[in-house]
Amino acid sequence: MSERPDRPARRDWPLWEIFVRSRRGLSHTHVGSLHAPDAEMALRNARDLYTRRQEGVSIWVVPAAQIVATSPDEKDAFFDPAADKIYRHPTFYDIPEGVDHL
Amino acid sequence: MYGNDFGSAPEPVERAQTASEEELEAAFQAIIDGDGRIEPRDWMPEAYRKGLVRQIAQHAHSEIIGMQPEGNWISRAPSLRRKAILMAKVQDEAGHGLYLYAAAETLGVERADLLDMLHTGRQKYSSIFNYPTLTWADMGAIGWLVDGAAIVNQVPICRCSYGPYARAMVRICKEESFHQRQGFEILHTLSKGTPAQHAMAQDAVDRWWWPSLMMFGPSDAESTHSAQSMRWGVKRFTNDELRQRFVDMTVPQAEVLGLRMPDPDLRWNAERGHYDFGDIDFDELTRVIKGNGPCNAQRMAHRRRAHEEGAWVREAADAYAAKQVARTTPQSTPEAVA
């Protein structure tokens, strides 16, 4: 069962994050992840796993280890600066009745 | 779909040092009570994490083991059309297993460890797959009843409080509906066919009806996980509620099929607005879960053999990947792939 007794530290292939463009004109969207030994296999496996019903016309695979993310812990402080700037939204402004195209 | 949130997944995060356990738990429960979703790197109670690993892994194992009863009939499907459909369905089950393993891994477990736990019997899979598929009609009964029961169980999990599990479930539910319809179509064709075909369809329903009802688990009075799972938004309905929903949906479909459920106590109860049904033999469920169903040993032996016989493929793929890396970056050793 333990197929790699010589290397117990990592028995799973690296994890890849999969992004699929569902059709032309749309951006790639994250759809899930999978394990694969290399990028080419990741692409083939992603095709079989995430586009069995023609869900995509293009696939990106990204090594999960290469993605840098904000920490959930920092969330409040990190995103705080935008919280008190509601004037960035058009709905912030009062416009007199009868003004069109604004 | 999963969103590992990238970083060492479920380390009880740094925030734990500045907030007390009670504060963390209150914040966690507030997200759930507000119908929000918990994501992989959020603080979560250890019991929540453990319970989800157990449930998602068991769900993933069920998809993987679930390929066997149907795989049994691919080479004997009655037409090329049926064969292509059955292959697509079994391939979907493999896909569902992979979505779910990936969701479980966001909770900080490794795929290889989950497979080890399946192979050594430390984690379970659904008891339904320990029943044999004796005739072609069983492909119909599995699609209609077993996948039908699975859908009733799974639809509420699309709103599970744990984001990665819920997202996997949305995808799975979309794909399951073809599974149920193709099963219904198989039984419909057989039931309207020759007397022998009709009898074969009826026999399959006779054998799969009760085990399908057992898929919803023990009755609410006996269920050990329910209350906490409800509070944590992992479970939305009780076992008995879901079972009743399945019975109410399925019995009218049986009438269209021209097939009978093997239950003399089954009848419409106008007062309740539901079908009444007979007592379920939960001793049978316990027996099968404990490993003494008709096919437990066969299913596990097959799974272990498939895994062991695939070892050389995994090793070859690893070796090839290492060689590619060595070629493009001459100074690095193959170990660097890890």
Side-chain angles (χ1 to χ4, degrees), chain A residues 3-77:
Chain A
E3 71 245 39
R4 309 294 307 260
D6 51 326
R7 279 169 62 189
R10 181 184 71 73
R11 295 193 297 145
D12 285 324
W13 287 328
L15 189 67
W16 301 76
E17 296 300 330
I18 315 303
F19 299 79
V20 171
R21 181 202 296 286
S22 55
R23 57 187 164 84
R24 287 177 177 278
L26 297 180
S27 54
H28 288 74
T29 307
H30 184 244
V31 293
S33 42
L34 54 77
H35 292 277
D38 57 35
E40 194 186 333
M41 287 301 292
L43 277 174
R44 283 174 178 273
N45 291 350
R47 178 199 61 187
D48 292 344
L49 193 53
Y50 292 110
T51 63
R52 287 198 299 283
R53 290 172 174 78
Q54 296 183 294
E55 289 95 336
V57 295
S58 166
I59 300 175
W60 290 346
V61 297
V62 181
Q66 294 294 314
I67 294 181
V68 180
T70 56
S71 146
D73 273 5
E74 298 176 340
K75 201 169 92 185
D76 290 345

Side-chain angles (χ1 to χ4, degrees), chain A residues 75-94:
Chain A
K75 201 169 92 185
D76 290 345
F78 193 78
F79 294 105
D80 252 0
D84 57 355
K85 297 179 180 60
I86 50 170
Y87 45 81
R88 282 176 171 159
H89 297 279
T91 48
F92 176 76
Y93 300 92
D94 291 327

